[in-house]
Amino acid sequence: MDRLVWTDESLLPGEVNILQQPGVRVYDGDDRTSFDNGILQLTSHRVIWDDQDQDGRMFCLHHLLITRLEDVKGSLTKSPKIASFLQAPAASRDVSQVVVMASRHDYVRFSFRKGGQSEFLSAYQTHLSKKLWELPQIKALPSKPTAQAQTARGAPIRSGIMGIERKMEAKRLETDKTISEAFQDLSALMEKAKEMVSLAESVTRKLEEKKGSLTDDETTALKSYLLSVGIANPVTKETHGSGATYHRELAKQLSVFLEGQLKDTDGIMTMQDIYCRFNRARGMELVSPEDLVNACQNFQSLKLPLRLRKFDSGVLVVELVTHNEDDLLKGVQSQVKDASSMSADELAQLSNISIVLAKERLVLAESRGLLCRDDSVEGLRFYTNRFLEEVS
């Protein structure tokens, strides 16, 4: 970092902007610095880092100091980075503007926490190879425009450094225009998406009102389409904070979302299934597993029609308050009796539920004395309790 120098917004002679990327953190080699959140701007001559949290704190790294670039891949816990390896500092350099007086590293790393690393790296490598910062040093002989230097429209041909700069500036303006139009289209799409979600909610209400006029297959298909549309105005930490208020509001929205779906799953659903369905409907506003559990813990205090339950095995489920477990277990006993014996995966297929939930039902029925098990090399199977039938 001892080759980075403080700068301002002004450009060098002949320098033009190429692209910029927000959310970039700077490392001195492998060491983290206080430059956590800034806009990294690529120009024809330099890269400039502009602090987004502290106005006026800007520094730059000149391209002529770069010996090579390295692509540092990201992972689930680490952001992708660009490592810029630097020449040794000149002995006669001016140290009055350097960011750090001395560094034990010969490279700096730029961490792209908001994406854009691959595009930035490609442009960075391209402009390093062009060496546009060396062009102003080339002196051309003065010449006068000739007739051959006129276009068919009578305008002079733009050549040399000024022509390159004009072309690059025109390309940048065209790119900015394209991006602006794209965001306008995206905004319009988001508005249409909100309308579609509102329409989906309206159709859902009407579907409940006319429940008997549709076949089971038509009802299932229509509900799957509505589920893919999503949730309008999802509760987020930006709108409701990150504490108890957020979890209460999230619990209310979750209750509205799940109540109808639980009626189609015998009134009970595992947290894994809820997590997947709920986040799919929320789109980009995903909820963490911890926040989801905390929200479910508010069902009872808010007097919502759902409750959170934990089986002895540790499996968490959400069920309707009206869920009748005795009737459900008698139904499981009847299914096992009709099949003579049953495994968890067979019950899952028969009842259209997850294998985890199917196993919990069988184990719970066993604990009530309704079933007994046979755990052999062929797997775990459950049978009706003949002893109970003989006694009764």
Side-chain angles (χ1 to χ4, degrees), residues 3 12 45-47 60-66 124 133:
R3 274 139 285 187
L12 300 176
H45 292 48
R46 304 172 293 172
V47 283
C60 66
L61 175 62
H62 204 290
H63 292 344
L64 61 86
L65 297 176
I66 305 297
Y124 202 171
W133 63 89

Side-chain angles (χ1 to χ4, degrees), residues 236-247:
T236 65
K237 291 184 178 180
E238 287 75 15
T239 57
H240 295 83
S242 59
T245 302
Y246 167 67
H247 292 137

